[in-house]
Amino acid sequence: MNKLIIIGDGETAQLAYEYFTYDSNFVVTAFAVEEKYLSVVSLNEVPVVAFEQLLQTYDPQEYYAFIAISSTKLNRLRTRLYQATKELGYEFASYVSSKAFIWRDVEIGENCFILEDNTIQPFVKIGNNVTLWSGNHIGHRSVVRDNCFITSHVVISGYCDIGKNCFIGVNSAVSNNIKIGEDCLVSLGSVISKDTECNGIYKGNPAIRHHLSAKRFFNITD
């Protein structure tokens, strides 16, 4: 069994504990949060430690890390902690459910969270730090780039390109050969039938762009 540190202690982290514990070859040995958010000493009889003190106890040569954070601020929080953990020298685990259908040649990056009932077809590429919640379809030859969060029951058709940092809401659909620009938010139940611009909020069927940009909506200044 490989030893794992989960970064985070919220609901996503507790779900990650369940999935890794009962459906992987990892054993969770600690949770870690940034010191100013440290409010409990243990979860599931596993210690919760300050992120800033990780290296004092958990050697990157012996432990893997997993960033268990939701889509907060268009995935910026999860991405920041992913990058900070990488700088500490840790390798990352990915969780791929045994109840997902993943074709043999699919490429999946590090720190990915792929839950049950996902169907990922041939020649798909999934980047780093990507979450695919339960029940999605990712069509052949499509690419989901780094730091995306795909919710549930989303259909991404073949030959699509989903840009970095995107969030795609429940029951959305993306037509064939579509490129979604980075930093986009696709609202639940939307149908994307044309390429989107970067930094947009799209909703409806067919989806149209909201007058606010995604970064302005989330108060992102990068």
Side-chain angles (χ1 to χ4, degrees):
M1 299 290 283
N2 297 304
K3 295 183 286 188
L4 181 67
I5 304 162
I6 292 177
I7 311 301
D9 68 351
E11 181 68 6
T12 302
Q14 293 182 56
L15 287 169
Y17 174 87
E18 287 290 313
Y19 283 114
F20 275 109
T21 299
Y22 298 105
D23 187 31
S24 83
N25 63 343
F26 288 91
V27 56
V28 179
T29 56
F31 294 87
V33 297
E34 291 177 299
E35 191 166 17
K36 63 182 177 181
Y37 300 114
L38 189 59
S39 60
V40 296
V41 297
S42 68
L43 282 174
N44 300 314
E45 300 182 347
V46 173
V48 181
V49 300
F51 178 81
E52 294 84 352
Q53 307 301 320
L54 269 181
L55 292 179
Q56 295 183 13
T57 307
Y58 301 97
D59 186 343
Q61 300 301 313
E62 298 181 20
Y63 295 86
Y64 288 83
F66 180 75
I67 315 302
I69 302 292
S70 68
S71 60
T72 302
K73 292 198 73 172
L74 206 58
N75 306 297
R76 290 307 197 273
L77 176 57
R78 189 174 76 257
T79 301
R80 178 175 66 78
L81 289 170
Y82 167 72
Q83 292 169 344
T85 306
K86 182 181 284 288
E87 289 174 2
L88 294 177
Y90 289 95
E91 291 187 41
F92 292 91
S94 282
Y95 171 77
V96 179
S97 173
S98 63
K99 299 183 183 301
F101 177 83
I102 313 294
W103 193 249
R104 64 183 181 88
D105 56 8
V106 170
E107 297 179 19
I108 298 173
E110 60 187 18
N111 204 71
C112 289
F113 199 33
I114 298 177
L115 303 189
E116 64 275 4
D117 298 328
N118 276 281
T119 295
I120 306 182
Q121 291 190 323
F123 317 121
V124 167
K125 295 181 180 180
I126 307 293
N128 298 322
N129 196 34
V130 170
T131 296
L132 296 176
W133 217 254
S134 55
N136 301 296
H137 171 95
I138 313 297
H140 55 99
R141 306 267 182 198
S142 286
V143 177
V144 179
R145 301 192 183 274
D146 295 351
N147 314 321
C148 286
F149 195 109
I150 314 298
T151 55
S152 290
H153 301 289
V154 171
V155 174
I156 296 174
S157 302
Y159 287 91
C160 292
D161 188 327
I162 312 301
K164 292 180 179 180
N165 311 320
C166 287
F167 175 94
I168 302 183
V170 172
N171 286 335
S172 295
V174 182
S175 186
N176 286 309
N177 296 290
I178 293 297
K179 183 172 183 177
I180 295 182
E182 64 182 42
D183 294 314
C184 279
L185 184 156
V186 177
S187 295
L188 63 88
S190 297
V191 175
I192 305 294
S193 56
K194 297 180 181 179
D195 291 353
T196 76
E197 300 174 6
C198 296
N199 189 25
I201 299 174
Y202 289 85
K203 59 182 180 179
N205 180 10
I208 59 174
R209 181 167 179 155
H210 193 271
H211 69 278
L212 284 178
S213 72
K215 288 184 178 181
R216 183 177 178 187
F217 181 81
F218 288 107
N219 194 28
I220 295 169
T221 58
D222 61 11

